[in-house]
Amino acid sequence: MKLLAGKTVLITGGSDGIGSAIATACAGQGANLVLVGRGRQKLSKKENDLLPYGIDVISISIDLYSNGAVHEVAGKIADDRRRIDILVNNAGIGRFIPFSDFDQDVLDLHLNLNVRVPYLLTRALLNDLIEAHGNVINIFIKQGDVHLSSAWESARSYKKLNTLPDITRPQVRSVFRIDPKTIKKERYQHENPDHRGQH
């Protein structure tokens, strides 16, 4: 029997990059998937790519940065009567820009996507995860560049990855922290290939 047969895995940022690779790996182990991403076209392509695995795939096209997005995701899962066994908090952003350009809007973007959304989504799905004796996997980036914006990013990532496991561990079976290192994604390469990356 496959390791994840009968389980349902929710992956944020699941339509491309690291999230897409995680989705494929989980599908290979028999997991049903809930993929959350911004682009409907990419989500549809990923659904088609997963057809040979014979699993159920639900795609939710939404910008997690938008107000009420986490509530909407949780609502759609509840409407589908689907229990989440594993949550993969993968969606996030890391903008490598000079500290002088790191204004409040950029700060809010990072805090919302990299800290607030994983906290709120984990809380929204907590009853499912407790019932399933489930797992939470947090994908984070800990940058090693020397300029000040990266120093801020490292501090942010470190704080996020050290607090979320501590508060959820008594109720959820396992909380993992994984650092896949920074990758460059196409949309940021077009904007500024030297200073931006996202996972």
Side-chain angles (χ1 to χ4, degrees):
M1 178 179 290
K2 294 184 177 180
L3 184 63
L4 299 177
K7 304 290 186 183
T8 298
V9 181
L10 186 151
I11 305 168
T12 63
S15 59
D16 64 355
I18 293 168
S20 174
I22 293 172
T24 300
C26 290
Q29 289 297 326
N32 298 313
L33 299 174
V34 178
L35 303 180
V36 181
R38 291 189 299 176
R40 168 50 57 191
Q41 187 174 356
K42 285 186 177 181
L43 286 168
S44 296
K45 181 181 183 304
K46 188 61 185 177
E47 284 188 52
N48 288 332
D49 292 344
L50 293 170
L51 285 175
Y53 293 94
I55 59 168
D56 293 333
V57 181
I58 296 174
S59 293
I60 302 174
S61 177
I62 195 168
D63 185 351
L64 287 171
Y65 181 68
S66 60
N67 289 331
V70 169
H71 179 73
E72 185 174 339
V73 169
K76 288 184 177 180
I77 293 167
D79 290 344
D80 196 62
R81 300 180 182 276
R82 192 171 294 269
R83 188 185 74 183
I84 301 301
D85 300 280
I86 300 172
L87 168 62
V88 182
N89 288 311
N90 169 70
I93 187 170
R95 291 194 173 177
F96 304 110
I97 58 178
F99 188 71
S100 57
D101 296 333
F102 209 96
D103 59 19
Q104 184 172 338
D105 289 340
V106 179
L107 176 63
D108 288 343
L109 177 64
H110 282 79
L111 289 174
N112 280 335
L113 280 176
N114 297 335
V115 181
R116 187 170 179 271
V117 166
Y119 270 81
L120 293 179
L121 190 55
T122 303
R123 283 201 63 193
L125 300 175
L126 193 57
N127 287 338
D128 275 6
L129 293 166
I130 292 171
E131 182 183 340
H133 302 287
N135 300 281
V136 179
I137 300 173
N138 297 312
I139 308 297
F140 73 97
I141 298 173
K142 187 175 181 182
Q143 291 87 358
D145 294 342
V146 234
H147 53 77
L148 287 176
S149 62
S150 285
W152 157 251
E153 283 297 287
S154 293
R156 180 269 308 159
S157 293
Y158 188 79
K159 182 174 180 59
K160 168 193 164 186
L161 70 94
N162 275 281
T163 54
L164 187 56
D166 289 342
I167 62 175
T168 54
R169 192 173 286 119
Q171 295 174 298
V172 178
R173 186 178 65 178
S174 300
V175 182
F176 301 96
R177 300 174 290 212
I178 300 174
D179 181 3
K181 306 304 179 185
T182 302
I183 64 168
K184 289 183 178 179
K185 298 185 77 172
E186 186 177 356
R187 60 181 172 275
Y188 292 114
Q189 289 177 338
H190 290 327
E191 289 180 299
N192 190 334
D194 297 322
H195 295 297
R196 296 191 179 186
Q198 180 171 345
H199 67 279

